[in-house]
Amino acid sequence: MRAPLGHFGHAMPAPDCLDDLTRPVADAVRDWRGSIPADQIVYVDTDPEWADTATFVEHYGQELLDQSANCVVVAGRRGADTTLAACVVLSTTRVDVNGAVRRQLGARKASFAPMDTATGETGMEYGGITPLGLPVHWPVLVDSAVVELPYVLVGSGRRRGKLLVPGKVFAELPNVVVLEGLGVA
């Protein structure tokens, strides 16, 4: 199969390669019941040595820079309570942690979660965290620009491999909130 974007040597519908995904991501793909069929989510094999954005787009296609999203784990705190959430923004922007995230979570303080917390709580590898397969009770904050793209390149749960996901899928994830301005230049 040919990937819907980029120049990848190996592309397959994600339901056909669940063994290449971490367990939470594979479960999310297997159990997907959204309006867009799961076979529209595409797994592409990538070299983990080329995971850095600049190197990645050099090898797999410059057009991917404007069609990629990052998923980061944040921690919002109010008193002794901490809320973990995921934020999905285009890779050409950064998450507005101290503005949009803090307000949406009702937190006094918000920051990026420590790496050990992010990987331990998600069951995914650092650098490969994806919004598919996150803990179901987590808020998932998605920038509206991500939802508007036909396909978006995101992590697969591992550093090796990526997912090409129709943008509309992000609006159907559990506990999702689509926000204008979550990603800022």
Side-chain angles (χ1 to χ4, degrees):
M1 125 177 252
R2 183 163 166 70
L5 53 104
H7 311 290
F8 300 98
H10 176 77
M12 293 180 62
D16 294 346
C17 53
L18 298 176
D19 290 341
D20 294 322
L21 306 172
T22 59
R23 183 175 178 178
V25 178
D27 290 347
V29 169
R30 184 183 306 104
D31 298 339
W32 179 251
R33 300 291 179 259
S35 65
I36 296 175
D39 65 0
Q40 298 298 302
I41 301 169
V42 177
Y43 173 80
V44 292
D45 189 36
T46 61
D47 187 328
E49 296 298 315
W50 297 341
D52 174 68
T53 302
T55 306
F56 189 88
V57 297
E58 179 183 320
H59 284 90
Y60 297 112
Q62 287 293 325
E63 73 276 12
L64 294 171
L65 186 60
D66 294 326
Q67 297 173 43
S68 298
N70 293 323
C71 180
V72 296
V73 178
V74 296
R77 293 177 190 80
R78 179 174 278 288
D81 295 331
T82 299
T83 300
L84 293 176
C87 297
V88 183
V89 299
L90 294 177
S91 62
T92 55
T93 65
R94 62 180 175 76
V95 177
D96 183 11
V97 176
N98 291 313
V101 172
R102 189 180 54 74
R103 284 189 301 274
Q104 185 63 39
L105 296 180
R108 283 198 174 279
K109 182 179 179 187
S111 59
F112 294 106
M115 181 176 61
D116 291 347
T117 300
T119 57
E121 295 290 327
T122 63
M124 300 180 203
E125 295 176 5
Y126 187 74
I129 294 175
T130 189
L132 282 82
L134 292 169
V136 294
H137 62 280
W138 280 20
V140 178
L141 312 180
V142 178
D143 189 275
S144 59
V146 173
V147 175
E148 294 168 9
L149 290 174
Y151 268 90
V152 182
L153 180 84
V154 293
S156 67
R158 293 200 163 109
R159 285 189 58 83
R160 172 170 216 108
K162 299 282 186 186
L163 294 175
L164 295 168
V165 181
K168 292 183 184 350
V169 165
F170 296 101
E172 297 181 24
L173 294 171
N175 291 327
V176 74
V177 178
V178 178
L179 295 172
E180 187 92 23
L182 178 63
V184 294

